[in-house]
Amino acid sequence: QVQLEESGGGSVQSGGSLRVSCAVSRFTSRNYCMGWFRQAPGKEREGVAYIDSDGKTTYKDAVKGRFTISQDNAKNTLYLQMNSLKPEDTATYYCAVRERLFFRICGNYDDKYNYWGQGTQVTVSS
């Protein structure tokens, strides 16, 4: 069974940085999308950054220029480096993966992601 486990969340002041990680196990597809999503209290979950098996990255406007998604294939780990954090970045952050067979644009079709981690909390204080 595919498993994803996030780590690295925490509390930071506005303008600070954090890196969250996602260890992926038992996901064997070589044609895939991986993404970072977040959900703040009272708000819907939203995707923030995506990476595909070719290494192409996509970012939503709210985090563009501040967040960087990357992957270490040798370690089967996905990362999200978050810089210049703002209070509005406060949320539970989730990683997710899916195969990229028919819905090839990773930043679209958020509802097609079918494997999820349990989430890690990121809190940014002003």
Side-chain angles (χ1 to χ4, degrees), residues 38-60:
R38 67 186 182 186
Q39 187 167 21
K43 294 187 177 182
E44 292 188 356
R45 187 178 60 200
E46 61 174 352
V48 295
Y50 310 84
I51 189 167
D52 67 24
S53 43
D54 296 323
K56 179 181 177 180
T57 59
T58 307
Y59 300 92
K60 291 301 177 71

Side-chain angles (χ1 to χ4, degrees), residues 1 13 17 22 32 34 40 42 59 70 78-79 82 88 90 95 101 114 117 125:
Q1 185 175 352
Q13 290 191 330
S17 298
C22 173
Y32 58 80
M34 292 189 176
Y59 300 92
S70 62
L78 181 70
Y79 301 100
M82 302 181 288
E88 51 263 44
T90 295
C95 59
L101 295 177
N114 51 348
S125 58

